[in-house]
């Protein structure tokens, strides 16, 4: 695990006159947040293992603009979007995979009318396709038999109707997948969306992430699986508050990568 | 035979319909006060949505008890109304049960209506108990205090009375009872009226029933019960895009493109909706689009949205149902303003944002779409919340401080946190 990750950039590909199979859109959390960086690395290890020809934009990537848009700052959002679309066009990008449902939603739904048309996949969808094509194998490894519940990210689930890909992957780990009372279409938000991640919540009786963590605890999981770096942060905080040391919060990509000790 | 009853009937009938038509025109006008929005395309999907969600009540049974009861009332209401056709013809012609000579099938029809009326009656009584005696959280919120609560109950009383009158009318119809064809339910009530002047009671019940229906029809305009009509267009015009999609404001696109590319021709596009609007986002109902206003009139105040809202569940002030109720109340206020000022809106110093909805509510939303998903008739409270955020940020620069920091980070270094874009790849080390 100590060896350096192979993370080529689009610029390098272009210099070599080649085009990667996918662009891995890392996102701000995946690039800068300590916890989310681990998810990024786990996903890259899986890409390397499956021998996927991928590249990142690296220093040419910039925020998709999602938090600005959902705060109401359409100007800033569109500035970000148009700038990103320009960069993506210079590399003639066709297919984007990202581990962040917010980037996923924005790139997939809001970039097209600004001139950015790509096939956009969430990393769980892409991993599922690798699995189906036989390019990736998943084994339970150290998670075998563990009780895992999956927290649906709003921007993957309700926003884009992706419910099964992450679950299909988790089931492959030979674990016991348990559902919370609010799951899939009825999944409860972690509290981070709509730019809430970046501000304190309004006055109320409880933090949303605590409510969600309590729902998870009801089904007594050993691990809460997530598919979004922001949900991951929120749930990790919630667990710290309510069930420190009893429950782990892990991204689906981390589960798969760690299961086979990648 | 005197023609007086026929004439009275015709007067009641036409003035009832006329008053209703007048209000519907007002309703239409108010809805079209909203901004234009493109609802073209996806016609097939839209019809399917309407068929499944409104006609087929597809989302109601997600709450099994209320969903099942609602379907009983809905089916009963629709089917029993076939009987109204006969009542109306009888009223005009002075006939009595004009369809009764179509043979045994008549009995089957009336029998079905009677059974349905009975089931509706029971369901509505259960609804009343649920609303008023069982502590169901979504019926206890403060936004229902006053008229909304009374409205909810009045609808139930109307239905109870109408169904009872239908059964009484049949039970006291001597001829109908003696034909013993279709009096499945009313035969059990007929004995109660023995010894009374049944002919008179039958007439009174008949008149009260049809007049009640006409009053109920006119009540819709003032009530959340409007959903029985508007649910159909509303599910048709509801969004057909993924729920995560939020529209890009076109005038901003033009401006941004000009900024990015000084060579671009600012006059390249001459369509009017690409010109800068007088206001970004929405602070009042007139800034919303007409589908959002249709949403507001359609809302049945069931509170399914609010009960799924994470902000509301954790005690924040935000309630998506209240967003819809406020929008409707303000729209009605604007409509009345226009009516009393010869067709023109006179500034009244009141706004939806600020006077009805507070900033605190607007900022508590996580844009999770739970409300949109929960709504049984395709209402989108989130889109109104986001329009108001747009107004607060782009017109008032009134975002919470932390969000301003986040946005200036994005502006300066392309991430919501103050990290340099040059460090974006550092994670791999
Ligand atoms: S989108 Fe906003 S209003 Fe709707 S349920 Fe989620 S937090 Fe509540
Ligand atoms: S918006 Fe929909 S779910 Fe919410 S109260 Fe109105 S009808 Fe019910």
């Amino acid at each position: 695990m100590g060896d350096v990750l192979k993370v080529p950039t689009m610029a390098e590909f272009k210099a070599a006159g080649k085009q990667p199979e996918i662009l891995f859109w890392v996102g701000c959390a995946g690039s800068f947040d300590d916890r989310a960086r681990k998810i990024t690395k786990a996903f890259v290890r899986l890409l390397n293992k499956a021998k996927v020809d991928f590249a990142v934009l690296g220093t040419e990537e910039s925020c998709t603009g999602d938090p600005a848009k959902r705060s109401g700052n359409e100007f800033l959002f569109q500035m970000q979007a148009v700038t990103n679309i320009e960069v993506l066009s210079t590399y003639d990008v066709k297919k984007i995979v990202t581990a962040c449902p917010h980037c996923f939603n924005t790139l997939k739904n809001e970039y097209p009318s600004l001139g950015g048309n790509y096939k956009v996949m969430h990393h769980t969808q892409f991993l599922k396709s690798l699995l189906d094509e036989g390019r990736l194998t998943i084994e339970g490894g150290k998670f075998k038999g563990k009780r895992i519940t999956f927290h649906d990210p709003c921007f993957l689930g309700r926003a884009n109707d992706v419910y099964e890909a992450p679950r299909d992957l988790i089931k492959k780990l030979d674990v016991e997948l348990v559902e919370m009372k609010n799951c899939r279409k009825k999944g409860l938000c972690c509290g981070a969306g709509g730019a809430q991640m970046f501000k304190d919540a309004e006055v109320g009786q409880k933090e949303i992430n605590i409510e969600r963590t309590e729902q998870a605890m009801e089904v007594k999981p050993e691990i809460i699986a997530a598919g979004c770096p922001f949900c991951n942060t929120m749930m990790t905080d919630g667990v710290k508050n309510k069930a420190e040391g009893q429950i782990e919060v892990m991204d689906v990509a981390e589960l798969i990568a760690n299961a086979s000790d990648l | 035979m005197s023609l007086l009853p026929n004439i009275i009937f015709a007067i009641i009938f036409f003035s009832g319909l006329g008053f209703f038509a007048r209000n519907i025109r007002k309703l239409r006008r108010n809805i079209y006060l909203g901004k234009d929005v493109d609802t073209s395309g996806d016609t097939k999907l839209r019809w399917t949505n309407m068929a499944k969600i409104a006609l087929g009540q597809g989302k109601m049974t997600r709450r099994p008890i209320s969903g099942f009861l609602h379907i009983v009332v809905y089916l009963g209401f629709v089917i029993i109304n076939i009987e109204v056709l006969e009542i109306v013809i009888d009223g005009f012609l002075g006939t009595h049960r004009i369809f009764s000579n179509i043979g045994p099938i008549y009995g089957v029809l009336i029998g079905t209506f009677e059974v349905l009326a009975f089931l509706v009656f029971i369901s509505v009584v259960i609804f009343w108990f649920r609303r008023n005696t069982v502590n169901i959280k979504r019926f206890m919120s403060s936004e229902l205090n006053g008229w909304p609560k009374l409205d909810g109950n009045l609808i139930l009383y109307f239905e109870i009375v109408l169904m009872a009158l239908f059964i009484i009318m049949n039970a006291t119809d001597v001829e109908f009872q003696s034909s013993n064809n279709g009096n499945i339910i009313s035969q059990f009530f007929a004995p109660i009226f023995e010894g009374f002047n049944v002919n008179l009671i039958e007439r009174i019940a008949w008149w009260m029933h049809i007049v009640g229906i006409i009053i109920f029809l006119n009540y819709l305009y003032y009530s959340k019960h409007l959903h029985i009509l508007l649910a159909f267009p509303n599910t048709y015009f509801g969004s057909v895009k993924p729920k995560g999609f939020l529209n890009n404001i076109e005038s901003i696109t033009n401006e941004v493109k000009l900024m990015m590319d000084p060579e671009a021709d600012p006059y390249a596009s001459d369509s009017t909706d690409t010109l800068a609007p007088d206001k970004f986002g929405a602070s009042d109902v007139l800034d919303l689009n007409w589908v959002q206003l249709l949403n507001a009139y359609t809302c049945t105040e069931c509170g399914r949205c609010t009960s799924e809202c994470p902000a509301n569940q954790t005690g924040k002030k935000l309630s998506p149902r209240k967003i819809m109720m406020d929008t409707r109340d303000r729209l009605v206020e604007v409509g009345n303003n226009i009516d009393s000022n010869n067709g023109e809106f006179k500034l009244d110093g009141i706004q939806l944002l600020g006077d009805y909805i507070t900033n605190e509510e607007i900022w508590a939303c996580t844009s999770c779409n739970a409300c949109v998903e929960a709504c049984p008739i395709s209402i989108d409270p989130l889109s109104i919340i986001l329009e108001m955020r747009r107004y607060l940020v782009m017109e008032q620069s009134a975002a919470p401080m932390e969000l301003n920091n986040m946005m200036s980070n994005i502006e300066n270094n392309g991430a919501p946190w103050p990290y340099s874009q040059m460090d974006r790849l550092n994670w791999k080390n």
Side-chain angles (χ1 to χ4, degrees):
Chain A
M1 237 178 92
D3 44 3
V4 192
L5 289 175
K6 211 174 84 199
V7 189
T9 62
M10 286 305 283
E12 288 160 16
F13 263 91
K14 193 172 185 180
K18 286 193 299 186
Q19 184 74 10
E21 179 186 344
I22 59 158
L23 166 70
F24 170 31
W25 184 277
V26 184
C28 299
S31 303
F32 294 120
D33 181 85
D34 283 337
R35 178 68 190 83
R37 279 173 160 189
K38 292 190 183 142
I39 304 172
T40 309
K41 286 186 185 170
F43 182 54
V44 167
R45 288 202 293 275
L46 292 174
L47 291 176
N48 284 338
K49 186 189 172 200
K51 302 203 170 49
V52 176
D53 223 6
F54 77 98
V56 298
L57 282 174
T59 56
E60 289 183 283
E61 190 186 281
S62 187
C63 176
T64 58
D66 163 77
K69 190 175 178 79
R70 268 136 196 107
S71 302
N73 196 337
E74 184 71 10
F75 268 107
L76 181 54
F77 161 71
Q78 291 203 16
M79 291 289 291
Q80 287 299 116
V82 170
T83 315
N84 282 325
I85 290 171
E86 238 169 56
V87 174
L88 292 166
S89 311
T90 54
Y91 294 119
D92 202 17
V93 170
K94 301 246 157 47
K95 187 169 173 185
I96 304 178
V97 177
T98 175
C100 172
H102 295 264
C103 298
F104 167 70
N105 177 66
T106 305
L107 292 165
K108 169 175 164 284
N109 295 324
E110 286 152 3
Y111 276 33
S113 79
L114 300 171
N117 291 288
Y118 323 100
K119 178 164 172 47
V120 187
M121 289 175 99
H122 185 244
H123 69 316
T124 56
Q125 291 176 305
F126 186 66
L127 289 172
K128 176 78 188 0
S129 74
L130 292 178
L131 183 75
D132 292 344
E133 291 161 18
R135 295 166 70 186
L136 183 73
T137 48
I138 298 181
E139 55 215 75
K142 64 178 180 201
F143 297 117
K144 206 166 178 168
K146 291 232 180 214
R147 223 173 136 83
I148 300 186
T149 188
F150 178 68
H151 164 77
D152 287 281
C154 303
F155 278 79
L156 184 65
R158 267 190 302 274
N160 289 293
D161 286 313
V162 179
Y163 300 105
E164 300 313 324
R167 288 182 167 79
D168 289 346
L169 292 172
I170 295 171
K171 281 183 209 147
K172 285 278 167 200
L173 291 166
D174 284 336
V175 299
E176 187 191 352
L177 178 63
V178 284
E179 295 291 354
M180 293 182 241
K181 69 172 178 208
N182 282 339
C183 63
R184 292 195 172 83
K185 278 184 189 323
K186 286 190 68 149
L188 182 73
C189 176
C190 70
Q196 293 296 338
M197 182 73 194
F198 305 100
K199 63 184 262 297
D200 285 328
E202 275 57 33
V203 183
Q205 291 143 4
K206 213 188 222 178
E207 294 292 337
I208 296 174
N209 63 332
I210 300 292
E211 176 76 21
R212 185 55 165 168
T213 307
E214 287 172 357
Q215 283 194 355
M217 286 164 64
E218 281 169 20
V219 295
K220 304 201 170 19
E222 288 156 277
I223 297 169
I224 299 173
C228 167
F230 296 104
C231 298
N232 197 308
T233 305
M234 291 309 238
M235 298 308 285
T236 305
D237 282 355
V239 166
K240 245 186 224 149
N241 226 290
K242 303 293 299 185
E244 171 101 74
Q246 299 158 37
I247 303 178
E248 262 189 287
V249 181
M250 293 180 89
D251 191 88
V252 178
E254 291 179 304
L255 285 173
I256 301 171
N258 296 4
S260 44
D261 268 329
L262 278 182
Chain B
M1 203 173 82
S2 153
L3 277 180
L4 193 61
N6 311 37
I7 296 170
I8 294 175
F9 182 86
I11 292 174
I12 294 176
F13 185 79
F14 285 116
S15 48
L17 279 196
F19 194 67
F20 179 66
R22 198 191 80 146
N23 279 339
I24 290 297
R25 270 198 301 277
K26 235 189 240 180
L27 184 74
R28 230 185 104 87
R29 182 206 60 196
N30 287 358
I31 289 171
Y32 282 123
L33 290 173
K35 295 213 148 66
D36 204 11
V37 55
D38 187 13
T39 53
S40 62
D42 300 298
T43 325
K44 218 175 129 205
L45 180 57
R46 289 175 185 282
W47 282 111
T48 315
N49 283 346
M50 183 165 110
K52 276 196 192 148
I53 303 171
L55 194 66
Q57 307 263 299
K59 286 174 96 177
M60 284 306 292
T61 43
R62 288 202 191 159
R63 304 251 172 146
I65 303 172
S66 57
F68 175 74
L69 294 172
H70 188 271
I71 290 179
V72 171
V73 175
Y74 160 77
L75 280 180
F77 181 89
V78 173
I79 297 173
I80 297 168
N81 269 312
I82 302 174
E83 165 67 4
V84 175
L85 183 68
E86 181 183 45
I87 295 178
V88 169
I89 297 177
D90 282 346
F92 276 119
L93 303 182
T95 46
H96 185 67
R97 295 191 184 264
I98 187 157
F99 296 150
S100 56
N101 52 17
I102 58 174
I105 183 83
Y106 184 76
V108 176
L109 277 175
I110 300 289
T112 313
F113 300 154
E114 284 202 352
V115 171
L116 282 168
F118 184 69
L119 292 176
V120 169
F121 188 94
I122 304 282
S123 305
V124 171
V125 169
I126 301 176
F127 272 150
W128 188 90
F129 277 103
R130 278 171 56 87
R131 246 175 208 276
N132 296 285
T133 65
V134 185
N135 283 357
I136 295 174
K137 200 174 162 234
R138 63 190 165 112
F139 296 134
M140 315 272 295
S141 326
S142 60
E143 68 226 32
L144 292 186
N145 289 348
W147 169 247
K149 191 169 167 73
L150 179 64
D151 180 26
N153 281 332
L154 278 177
I155 295 165
L156 299 178
Y157 299 146
F158 259 117
E159 281 165 356
I160 289 177
V161 170
L162 287 178
M163 292 305 123
L165 286 170
F166 178 68
I167 298 292
I168 294 173
M169 172 182 113
N170 287 353
T172 51
D173 187 328
V174 181
E175 210 181 311
F176 174 70
Q177 287 302 328
S178 60
S179 78
N180 217 358
N181 182 15
N183 54 348
I184 301 180
I185 303 290
S186 58
Q187 58 178 302
F188 299 107
F189 294 91
I192 301 175
F193 299 97
E194 267 165 31
F196 291 98
N197 183 348
V198 279
N199 290 335
L200 181 67
I201 296 176
E202 193 273 338
R203 280 297 85 193
I204 293 174
W206 187 93
W207 279 96
M208 281 178 67
H209 181 247
I210 186 65
V211 171
I213 287 175
I214 292 172
I215 294 176
F216 197 30
L217 180 73
N218 277 289
Y219 177 73
L220 296 185
Y221 175 72
Y222 306 95
S223 161
K224 78 184 186 84
H225 211 49
L226 202 45
H227 77 277
I228 64 168
L229 302 176
L230 296 188
F232 293 89
N234 200 71
T235 46
Y236 180 89
F237 289 114
S239 172
V240 286
K241 300 241 168 59
K243 291 196 180 60
F245 169 80
L246 171 59
N247 73 312
N248 298 322
I249 302 178
E250 255 184 78
S251 59
I252 291 182
T253 311
N254 283 355
E255 217 162 302
V256 167
K257 288 206 166 136
L258 272 180
M259 274 161 74
M260 307 287 292
D261 177 13
E263 311 270 284
D265 176 6
Y267 305 106
S269 155
D270 54 7
S271 108
T272 45
D273 48 281
T274 54
L275 291 175
D278 40 357
K279 196 195 255 178
F280 290 117
S283 62
D284 207 351
V285 283
L286 300 181
D287 308 323
L288 296 170
N289 69 46
W290 65 264
V291 173
Q292 290 168 318
L293 300 186
L294 172 65
N295 277 186
Y297 269 123
T298 308
C299 174
T300 170
E301 299 169 14
C302 68
R304 291 177 181 220
C305 51
T306 295
S307 73
E308 300 289 333
C309 172
N312 192 276
Q313 280 178 31
T314 53
K316 279 85 179 177
K317 278 209 185 114
L318 172 63
S319 158
R321 166 171 61 186
K322 178 176 171 289
I323 300 285
M324 300 319 300
M325 292 171 66
D326 286 343
T327 305
R328 175 174 177 170
D329 288 348
R330 172 60 183 154
L331 181 55
V332 169
E333 185 176 55
V334 168
N336 291 343
N337 176 315
I338 292 176
D339 288 333
S340 48
N341 290 300
N342 303 320
E344 268 192 53
F345 178 63
K346 216 166 122 201
L347 285 181
D348 56 2
I350 300 176
Q351 284 199 131
L352 178 59
L353 181 62
D355 296 300
Y356 285 82
I357 300 172
T358 59
N359 294 10
E360 182 181 340
E361 290 161 69
I362 294 302
W363 289 117
C365 172
T366 70
S367 69
C368 72
N369 266 303
C371 51
V372 185
E373 180 66 48
C375 181
I377 41 180
S378 306
I379 290 170
D380 182 355
L382 173 58
S383 72
I384 297 180
I385 294 173
L386 289 171
E387 282 303 335
M388 296 196 157
R389 284 189 177 183
R390 285 174 167 173
Y391 173 81
L392 285 173
V393 169
M394 291 190 284
E395 294 287 343
Q396 308 262 293
S397 307
M401 206 244 302
E402 304 126 297
L403 288 189
N404 281 331
N405 292 341
M406 176 272 288
M407 291 188 278
S408 54
N409 286 330
I410 294 182
E411 217 172 319
N412 298 328
N413 44 271
W417 302 286
Y419 298 117
S420 162
Q421 191 167 357
M422 286 303 119
D423 295 338
R424 270 212 177 238
L425 206 45
N426 291 3
W427 56 266
K428 77 168 181 176
N429 305 323

